[in-house]
Amino acid sequence: HPASRWQQWKDYVKEGDIIVSLEGQAIDAEHPLDLVLSGYAPGQAVSVTILRGGQTTTVRVTLGTRPES
């Protein structure tokens, strides 16, 4: 289920950040984050590029399961 494949971003992505790509795949209207994440399993490590304050940075994160909230 795509909604269950989600990184618990709290240590990496802050409020106001924009996730621009996951493993080199642009996150946009045609490739929403949930759809792109559905191709990965919890426990997999992926590269996430975020835009923060006008600058991009890439971090390596391990996917977890999406919280039930």
Side-chain angles (χ1 to χ4, degrees), residues 21-42:
S21 71
L22 182 89
E23 284 295 308
Q25 171 63 62
I27 303 301
D28 54 26
E30 293 181 23
H31 305 96
L33 183 59
D34 278 351
L35 178 63
V36 175
L37 281 172
S38 71
Y40 300 92

Side-chain angles (χ1 to χ4, degrees), residues 10-32:
K10 64 183 176 184
D11 293 333
Y12 304 100
V13 180
K14 307 298 182 195
E15 186 175 339
D17 286 353
I18 299 170
I19 298 170
V20 295
S21 71
L22 182 89
E23 284 295 308
Q25 171 63 62
I27 303 301
D28 54 26
E30 293 181 23
H31 305 96

Side-chain angles (χ1 to χ4, degrees), residues 1-6 34 37-38 64-68:
H1 186 276
S4 69
R5 294 183 176 104
W6 193 262
D34 278 351
L37 281 172
S38 71
T65 56
R66 188 175 190 163
E68 299 280 335

